[in-house]
Amino acid sequence: MKPTIFVARHIPDEAKAYLKEHCLVDKWEGGGPIPRERLLERLGEAEGLLTSSVEINAELLAHAPRLRAVSTISVGYNNFDLAAMKARGIIGMNTPEVLDETVADLIMGLILSTARRIPELDRYVKEGRWRRGDDEVLFGLDVHHKKLGIVGMGGIGEAVARRGKFGFGMSVLYHNRHRKPEAEAALDAVYLSLPELLREADFVVLMTPLTPETKGLIGAAEFALMKKTAIFINASRGAAVDESALFEALNSGRIYGAGLDVFEHEPVAADHPLLSMPNVVTLPHIGSATESTRNQMAMVAAQNLVLALKGQTPPNIVKELK
Ligand code: DGY
């Protein structure tokens, strides 16, 4: 007997076909994200749930009496209420590794865009403001041979470090919950405490997962430690940063610029103060958003779910629920 699953978002055809082979599939076919009340109504029979960014909490679990496994199409799983899932014995899975290189590419894009002011100067040209003799007004900062500080040295952090070291001759500093001797050997990466890294780095790249410990990790005290020429990049989760403190640090010239793929509330409101800053490059949370990577992530998430529902051990059970 095939298990019943609910797919709460759009997924590519290949993943859909795979799931249909192994499961009885009910799927949200409406445009855009599924409204919460629609989702709750559809979970009565579901043993498995495939989703991304939906809050999996006690309220949802109460509507899903048969649920055994939840698979998210993302590496981040801050949408999982781990205590509520654990209390019900629900298996939770994510999609690490498959997106590392794609997100690292985007982070390099943010580094280059902020340091060399690419979006700002693109507007400058297109708006007809470029005049012969313009010189210092177009200056930015060098990236090559600068100090790259990575906060959160997981797979994505290491992929950024490789690009920085081997592509741009940067020296790599990192801070992590635990030291990574292989990364230190392969990348000459230097482990520092967070305050040491913030003082030293030219580029501070935040890649920590969002957890109760990392919520608001970078705030006024942390920006105060950074160089005046520092550039802050966030491609993890918006809530890991105090956005008012970031605005203040940028507005007062405390730091040089910021590149943000993520915000505390997404989609970010058009009148958010950070969007008014010329020295901030913003993106709509597209770290993993290439067709190839998103297809692979959907397949990995689908395979995780099928294995869990068959009673086998999927490779990507989130560590807190093992
Ligand atoms: C994830 O998968 O959690 C990333 O935020 C994608 O960009």
Side-chain angles (χ1 to χ4, degrees):
M1 176 75 175
K2 289 179 177 181
T4 301
I5 64 165
F6 185 68
V7 178
R9 50 160 286 162
H10 168 79
I11 53 167
D13 290 341
E14 198 194 345
K16 217 184 292 177
Y18 170 82
L19 285 169
K20 283 190 173 155
E21 224 177 275
H22 296 275
C23 308
L24 296 174
V25 180
D26 184 18
K27 184 172 177 309
W28 169 245
E29 297 292 357
I34 184 168
R36 184 81 177 172
E37 47 307 349
R38 292 281 89 74
L39 173 66
L40 299 183
E41 285 163 16
R42 301 278 288 268
L43 294 175
E45 293 304 313
E47 291 162 81
L49 173 60
L50 188 73
T51 176
S52 64
S53 69
V54 160
E55 288 295 320
I56 310 298
N57 55 15
E59 179 209 30
L60 179 140
L61 297 181
H63 286 78
R66 303 184 62 207
L67 196 66
R68 293 189 278 129
V70 179
S71 185
T72 183
I73 308 174
S74 60
V75 64
Y77 53 92
N78 48 295
N79 53 320
F80 288 178
D81 178 335
L82 297 166
M85 290 172 75
K86 204 170 193 155
R88 268 277 304 274
I90 307 272
I91 304 170
M93 295 148 286
N94 67 340
T95 60
E97 292 168 26
V98 61
L99 75 182
D100 290 352
E101 302 295 331
T102 299
V103 179
D105 284 350
L106 187 86
I107 290 173
M108 292 316 292
L110 283 172
I111 288 177
L112 290 165
S113 302
T114 42
R116 300 302 301 272
R117 303 166 52 201
I118 292 172
E120 182 193 347
L121 296 179
D122 170 69
R123 283 194 299 278
Y124 184 84
V125 174
K126 289 178 180 163
E127 289 168 6
R129 290 189 281 133
W130 185 16
R131 300 283 172 264
R132 198 169 287 285
D134 282 355
D135 194 20
E136 282 94 337
V137 288
L138 309 182
F139 285 0
L141 297 178
D142 278 325
V143 173
H144 67 90
H145 296 98
K146 291 296 183 83
K147 291 181 182 168
L148 175 61
I150 297 173
V151 182
M153 194 69 147
I156 299 171
E158 286 193 30
V160 174
R162 281 195 296 278
R163 284 159 176 72
K165 179 172 170 59
F166 300 118
F168 292 83
M170 301 173 93
S171 39
V172 177
L173 316 172
Y174 79 103
H175 177 73
N176 200 45
R177 269 170 307 182
H178 53 270
R179 285 182 70 155
K180 302 199 82 178
E182 315 82 52
E184 291 180 20
L187 299 161
D188 294 325
V190 176
Y191 177 85
L192 295 177
S193 70
L194 183 59
E196 284 169 337
L197 181 144
L198 297 173
R199 274 192 209 99
E200 285 280 315
D202 297 301
F203 297 89
V204 175
V205 177
L206 185 64
M207 273 322 308
T208 49
L210 179 62
T211 65
E213 293 75 41
T214 62
K215 193 163 193 293
L217 180 70
I218 307 293
E222 287 68 32
F223 289 117
L225 294 176
M226 293 184 198
K227 295 179 181 176
K228 267 192 90 137
T229 50
I231 288 181
F232 175 70
I233 305 290
N234 187 7
S236 63
R237 288 293 181 269
V241 178
D242 175 342
E243 289 180 344
S244 316
L246 173 58
F247 175 80
E248 195 40 48
L250 291 159
N251 197 38
S252 62
R254 184 69 215 73
I255 65 171
Y256 182 88
L260 306 174
D261 186 37
V262 290
F263 292 85
E264 182 166 6
H265 301 291
E266 296 179 357
V268 66
D271 62 354
H272 192 298
L274 282 168
L275 305 197
S276 66
M277 309 291 296
N279 51 348
V280 179
V281 176
T282 57
L283 290 172
H285 201 150
I286 55 161
S288 63
T290 65
E291 190 178 344
S292 147
T293 294
R294 284 285 173 83
N295 285 351
Q296 289 178 63
M297 289 166 72
M299 245 349 249
V300 169
Q303 286 161 350
N304 281 333
L305 189 60
V306 167
L307 286 174
L309 292 173
K310 283 187 174 165
Q312 295 169 22
T313 307
N316 304 310
I317 301 181
V318 305
K319 65 178 185 313
E320 294 87 345
L321 296 174
K322 273 186 180 157

